[in-house]
């Protein structure tokens, strides 16, 4: 079993890696953390869970729209979906995903469907990468918070 200091250091290193590797915007993540309080120690994790759930829905909407002929209403729908996606990404400060969404919007403005499709695949990949990156962090935090809330339940292994 890791010591409390080792676990704390691991959490610090994991969190710093989000910023160093360009996954998250530090100030945005810190703002989310400031919204968390002792009544809801999983607030940031819950925001990320909602984000990933919403991404699944938004990706399906975009894929459906991209599968159609883009004209008139479909064009308006697609740009609306892209801007909604951008807003969601900004809400957690997911920098790599944001860069991909910005490319999608740029390609949309240039009417470059191949570019949009390529950028969309990149966005989906970065979303999956972010999820893989943050899930162990939140699990470790949850473990630590659980030990703090209920110190009697620690496993003596």
């Amino acid at each position: 079993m890791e010591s409390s200091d080792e676990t704390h250091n691991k959490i610090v290193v994991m969190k710093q890696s989000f910023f160093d590797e360009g996954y998250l915007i530090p100030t945005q993540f810190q703002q989310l953390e400031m919204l968390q309080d002792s009544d809801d120690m999983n607030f940031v994790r819950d925001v990320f869970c909602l984000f990933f759930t919403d991404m699944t829905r938004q990706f399906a909407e975009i894929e459906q729209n991209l599968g159609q002929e883009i004209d008139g209403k479909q064009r308006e729908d697609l740009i609306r979906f892209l801007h909604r996606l951008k807003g969601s990404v900004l809400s957690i400060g997911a920098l790599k995903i944001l860069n991909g969404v910005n490319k999608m919007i740029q390609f949309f403005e240039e009417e470059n469907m191949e570019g949009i499709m390529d950028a969309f695949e990149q966005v989906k990949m970065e979303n999956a990468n972010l999820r893989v990156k943050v899930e162990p962090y939140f699990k470790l935090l949850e473990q630590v918070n659980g030990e703090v809330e209920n110190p009697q339940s620690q496993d003596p292994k």
Side-chain angles (χ1 to χ4, degrees), residues 25 33 115 127 131 152:
I25 300 169
E33 287 181 317
N127 183 68
R131 185 176 209 147
Q152 300 300 324

Side-chain angles (χ1 to χ4, degrees), residues 51-135:
F51 169 79
F52 290 124
T53 299
D54 192 48
M55 287 298 96
T56 301
R57 182 187 55 76
Q58 288 192 53
F59 288 166
E61 288 175 343
I62 291 170
E63 283 175 341
Q64 181 180 5
N65 203 279
L66 288 174
Q68 302 173 7
E69 185 73 25
I70 304 294
D71 63 359
K73 178 161 176 14
Q74 289 82 7
R75 185 172 171 75
E76 290 173 20
D77 287 346
L78 182 56
I79 195 64
R80 189 178 73 245
F81 292 145
L82 292 177
H83 283 286
R84 186 183 311 149
L85 181 63
K86 183 175 181 176
S88 295
V89 169
L90 282 168
S91 74
I92 65 161
L95 187 57
K96 288 184 177 187
I97 302 171
L98 176 62
N99 291 338
V101 172
N102 284 336
K103 286 179 186 176
M104 288 178 71
I105 292 170
Q106 178 185 345
F107 289 133
F108 176 85
E109 291 168 355
E110 296 169 359
E111 297 183 11
N112 179 345
M113 286 305 293
E114 186 176 325
I116 292 172
M117 296 298 282
D118 290 345
F120 185 49
E121 289 305 313
Q122 183 70 27
V123 164
K124 291 191 295 185
M125 185 185 77
E126 291 301 347
N127 183 68
N129 290 343
L130 177 61
R131 185 176 209 147
V132 166
K133 187 81 174 164
V134 300
E135 281 181 347

Side-chain angles (χ1 to χ4, degrees), residues 17-28:
S17 73
F18 303 156
F19 314 134
D20 293 345
E21 296 172 24
Y23 283 98
L24 296 173
I25 300 169
T27 54
Q28 186 63 27

